[in-house]
Amino acid sequence: MSQSRGQWSSHMGFILAAAGSAVGLGNLWKFPYIAYENHGGAFVLVYIGAVALVGLPIMIAEIVLGRRSQLSPVGAFLKLTPDRPGHRLWAAPGMLGILAGFVILSYYCVIAGWTLRYILMSVSGQLATMVGDGSFNDFFGAFLADGPQQTLWYTIFMTLTVGVVFFGVKDGIEKVARTLVPLLFVILIALAVYSTTTEGFGRAMTFLFRPNFHELDRGAILEALGHSFFTLSLGMGAMLTYGSYMRRQDSIPKAALAISLLDTAIAILACIIMFSIIFTEDMEVTKSSTILFTTLPQVFFKLPGGSIISGFFYLLVAVAALTSTISLLEVVTSFAIDQLKLARRAAVLLTGGSIYVFGLLSAWSLGASDKLTNFNLIGRDSTVGMLGTLDYLASNWFLPVGGLLIAVFTGWVLSRKASHEEMSDGHGPLPWYNGWQALIRFVAPLVVGAIIVSVILGAEYQ
Ligand code: TRP
């Protein structure tokens, strides 16, 4: 088994592939808009705290479980559990992870598909003509409500994802990630430097970095926590699966730190860029969830070579999204391979195909179908619609609950010897090992657990 299992070719290869999974629409589309909705400052601080105290330790835990077991989530938990009565219950967090991967991939590809149309419209000059006459919001609203258009771009994006996983991820993902993740970083830094010259930069920094705790409610704390899982690709075994391809001579703690820093830096850079533009232009943000698609293009065309910058930017968003969707599909697929004993190609077609069909519900929930558009399971404004509801369920519930179980498992079920060995192999002495243990045994479960309980008790709605 372990012989036929793929491996990253180098330490950097793993870091970039995992960073490719982490960096995606979560950073470039979602974080800016939820930070905006939750009034910046305090929310950003809670988010950074969540990444450091909960996200990073859990990322280490996931990679430890993956490299230790050499398996995908369900198999990993079963293999690493001592053979006691009831030990098969530990398949549950793995199953929850598969469900999360299924759900997230289905709506994630809908949004990722939009970037494809934007690339095309940048290059064809269509986007440029629209910026001038201010019809952007109208155009975008119409695009969302256009069933055939949504189906088209969604189908293309899902096909790309299935295509890569079908032909084998390891060579593909690693190579793509190696060139494009650094490139994405360079472009974002260039745009961030540009944003320092804009008038709105000061206000953007204040908005992002001056916390005002009065503006923070429990819903926001849950959202920050949920997002820290989402953006780091945690809580459903994606890092676990990637970790299972990691070489023994590479350091898990160093990789986890690098991935988390890279991911957080990119999310914050994206905010600095977008808010500077919004505040400079005093743009009215009518629907914050579409900042990336309605606000940002307008500034590109103020720069020389706007079409090229814009085309390039959406290409990079698309690539960032693709390196993420691949990791989502890989989790579900490797489950089908390991547990249902399917051949890789059959597994990809089966999982990709069923996720595709389910995702059509999200694709048509943005105006194309009234029923799906008004779908509201939870009764919270921001969750209206099938896509919104699934995103809410997955990132605020499945991932935190999955993360909680991963933390409990690694802290309390896996032996200290095993975790210590995995963390020190390729790393050397671990003076802070006990600190990590404290975080994974107590802090992470208590913080995540407390928030879950407070939401169950309904505190969020007050
Ligand atoms: N982290 C990605 C983003 O921010 C999304 C993602 C990819 C993900 N794989 C995941 C989220 C696994 C949760 C779990 O866009």
Side-chain angles (χ1 to χ4, degrees), residues 305-375:
S307 296
I308 296 171
I309 298 179
S310 168
F312 209 43
F313 180 82
Y314 287 107
L315 177 66
L316 289 167
V317 180
V319 169
L322 186 63
T323 49
S324 298
T325 54
I326 291 166
S327 74
L328 288 161
L329 183 57
E330 177 65 13
V331 172
V332 187
T333 300
S334 63
F335 162 77
I337 296 172
D338 290 347
Q339 306 299 319
L340 309 179
K341 308 286 179 228
L342 291 176
R344 175 166 215 63
R345 296 188 168 185
V348 176
L349 293 179
L350 179 77
T351 54
S354 29
I355 295 170
Y356 171 74
V357 173
F358 183 67
L360 288 170
L361 297 178
S362 290
W364 299 332
S365 74
L366 304 157
S369 142
D370 285 346
K371 248 212 177 101
L372 294 170
T373 306
N374 299 323
F375 183 83

Side-chain angles (χ1 to χ4, degrees), residues 18-28 30 62 100-101 104 108 227 229-239 263 320-321 323-329 331 399:
S21 167
V23 175
L25 296 174
N27 307 64
L28 304 173
K30 196 169 170 192
E62 274 206 30
I104 296 174
Y108 199 95
H227 186 69
F229 282 100
F230 185 88
T231 190
L232 295 171
S233 297
L234 296 179
M236 55 154 274
M239 288 296 166
D263 188 79
T323 49
S324 298
T325 54
I326 291 166
S327 74
L328 288 161
L329 183 57
V331 172
L399 299 180

Side-chain angles (χ1 to χ4, degrees), residues 57-126:
I58 292 183
M59 184 177 302
I60 294 177
E62 274 206 30
I63 304 174
V64 161
L65 297 180
R67 192 167 75 179
R68 189 82 185 164
S69 67
Q70 295 286 301
L71 284 171
S72 50
V74 175
F77 284 103
L78 291 177
K79 180 169 171 185
L80 298 174
T81 317
D83 211 349
R84 283 197 292 253
H87 89 284
R88 293 196 70 82
L89 283 176
W90 278 111
M95 296 304 295
L96 185 66
I98 308 303
L99 179 67
F102 193 101
V103 168
I104 296 174
L105 181 60
S106 74
Y107 70 81
Y108 199 95
C109 278
V110 174
I111 299 159
W114 303 343
T115 63
L116 299 179
R117 185 168 193 207
Y118 271 63
I119 297 170
L120 210 72
M121 292 201 324
S122 302
V123 178
S124 72
Q126 223 182 331

